[in-house]
């Protein structure tokens, strides 16, 4: 059985490191604390120039829920056009109705804009009221894969539900576990769920090279982060996950 690692990369440098570690594919995201938002033109272009492995890009105009206004949908369509022009290999997107179902009408617009590129439906499925129905809708739309934690906080917590979704899919779509996946649990997840692709960030913190530091001031306002520490994909963690899967 062939297993694949998709790295959720927060920048071009993380993507480069993911490739070094043996990742099969990168999902490039900005706004990681919000669960991922659309990266910039420059970030996508720089990443495409750096890596030869598959590059998917999330198309998400903001954090929060997955109910989008017509203006936000227009923004997403423009972003898909931009991503295609830069040579990405796929897009990652998900839209819901106010009732918690897959918004098939909006998804059809976005899939059409993708112009035949593979489309991954992201963890919006975990916010659906009926995941079984949602999975059938996503398959009907023609998506290539769906990223899910099984509706739980982590993929390990949702492993039984992920296994049920894999069984329901019957090979019609790739069900890819994500959230809390790491080298120490990825093999167990593979055994418990029957999944073959796994999504995780695998980051480690690195101190900033700044010598002068203005402590006590946050650029995030009320959201406090360490301004002098950066989280980047760790090639060793990617490699360890690849090796763990190879040992099954």
């Amino acid at each position: 059985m062939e297993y694949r690692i998709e790295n959720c990369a927060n920048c071009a440098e993380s993507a480069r490191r993911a490739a070094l570690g043996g990742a099969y594919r990168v999902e490039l995201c900005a706004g990681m604390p919000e669960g991922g938002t659309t990266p910039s033109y420059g970030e996508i272009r720089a990443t495409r120039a750096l890596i030869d492995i598959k590059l998917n890009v999330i198309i998400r105009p903001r954090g929060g829920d997955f109910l989008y206004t017509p203006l936000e949908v227009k923004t997403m369509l423009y972003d898909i056009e931009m991503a295609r022009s830069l040579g990405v290999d796929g897009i990652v997107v998900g839209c819901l109705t106010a009732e918690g179902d897959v918004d098939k009408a909006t998804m059809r617009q976005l899939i059409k804009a993708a112009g035949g590129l593979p489309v991954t439906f992201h963890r919006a499925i975990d916010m659906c009221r009926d995941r079984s129905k949602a999975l059938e809708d996503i398959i009907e739309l023609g998506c290539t894969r769906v990223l899910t934690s099984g509706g739980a906080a982590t993929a390990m917590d949702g492993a039984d539900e992920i296994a049920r979704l894999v069984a329901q899919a019957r090979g019609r779509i790739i069900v890819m576990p994500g959230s809390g996946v790491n080298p120490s649990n990825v093999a167990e997840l593979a055994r418990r769920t029957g999944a073959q692709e796994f999504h995780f960030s695998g980051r480690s913190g690195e101190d900033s090279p700044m010598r002068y530091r203005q402590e006590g001031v946050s650029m995030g306002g009320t959201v406090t982060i360490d301004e002098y520490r950066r989280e980047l994909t760790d090639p060793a963690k990617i490699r360890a996950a690849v090796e763990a899967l190879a040992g099954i």
Side-chain angles (χ1 to χ4, degrees):
M1 186 174 292
E2 182 181 4
Y3 295 106
R4 292 173 173 174
I5 294 294
E6 175 180 275
N7 176 240
C8 184
N10 58 355
C11 62
E13 174 61 17
S14 282
R16 185 186 71 83
R17 296 180 182 203
L20 286 175
Y24 174 79
R25 181 175 56 245
V26 159
E27 182 199 356
L28 187 65
C29 302
M32 296 289 274
E34 297 179 283
T37 55
T38 307
S40 71
Y41 173 95
E43 201 75 69
I44 299 171
R45 183 172 177 178
T47 302
R48 182 72 288 174
L50 275 175
I51 65 172
D52 293 326
I53 63 173
K54 299 289 186 182
L55 172 61
N56 285 359
V57 169
I58 192 169
I59 304 295
R60 187 177 177 220
R62 56 165 173 80
D65 62 40
F66 303 102
L67 177 64
Y68 296 112
T69 67
L71 181 56
E72 288 172 330
V73 173
K74 184 175 289 188
T75 298
M76 296 164 84
L77 291 168
Y78 288 146
D79 281 338
I80 291 171
E81 181 182 352
M82 177 263 294
R84 286 183 61 197
S85 74
L86 293 173
V88 304
D89 297 299
I91 67 165
V92 182
V93 69
C95 304
L96 303 183
T97 67
E99 291 73 32
D101 296 314
V102 173
D103 185 345
K104 293 192 286 186
T106 300
M107 284 296 300
R108 287 191 185 101
Q109 291 184 64
L110 300 173
I111 290 168
K112 182 179 179 181
L117 288 179
V119 174
T120 298
F121 193 96
H122 57 46
R123 287 189 61 210
I125 190 175
D126 293 323
M127 308 303 283
C128 287
R129 63 188 177 92
D130 184 338
R131 279 184 296 279
S132 293
K133 179 180 183 302
L135 182 63
E136 293 302 324
D137 289 341
I138 293 164
I139 291 170
E140 177 192 329
L141 286 166
C143 294
T144 300
R145 66 179 53 78
V146 58
L147 172 64
T148 180
S149 64
T154 70
M156 282 299 292
D157 292 337
D160 290 344
E161 174 67 0
I162 295 171
R164 190 193 65 75
L165 292 171
V166 170
Q168 179 185 336
R170 300 192 308 278
R172 294 174 293 163
I173 192 171
I174 297 165
V175 177
M176 180 170 60
S179 184
V181 179
N182 60 62
S184 67
N185 65 22
V186 68
E188 181 181 353
L189 271 171
R191 286 189 289 265
R192 287 183 60 183
T193 65
Q196 293 179 253
E197 296 192 6
F198 302 87
H199 170 99
F200 73 104
S201 60
R203 296 193 302 272
S204 293
E206 296 185 7
D207 284 333
S208 166
M210 285 290 296
R211 291 187 293 276
Y212 173 78
R213 301 190 176 196
Q214 184 70 23
E215 304 289 355
V217 178
S218 172
M219 295 297 102
T222 57
V223 178
T224 302
I225 62 171
D226 189 340
E227 303 288 350
Y228 299 105
R229 190 167 179 81
R230 190 179 184 196
E231 297 290 325
L232 292 170
T233 297
D234 186 339
K237 291 184 178 181
I238 303 298
R239 193 173 300 111
V242 171
E243 291 173 354
L245 290 169
I248 295 176

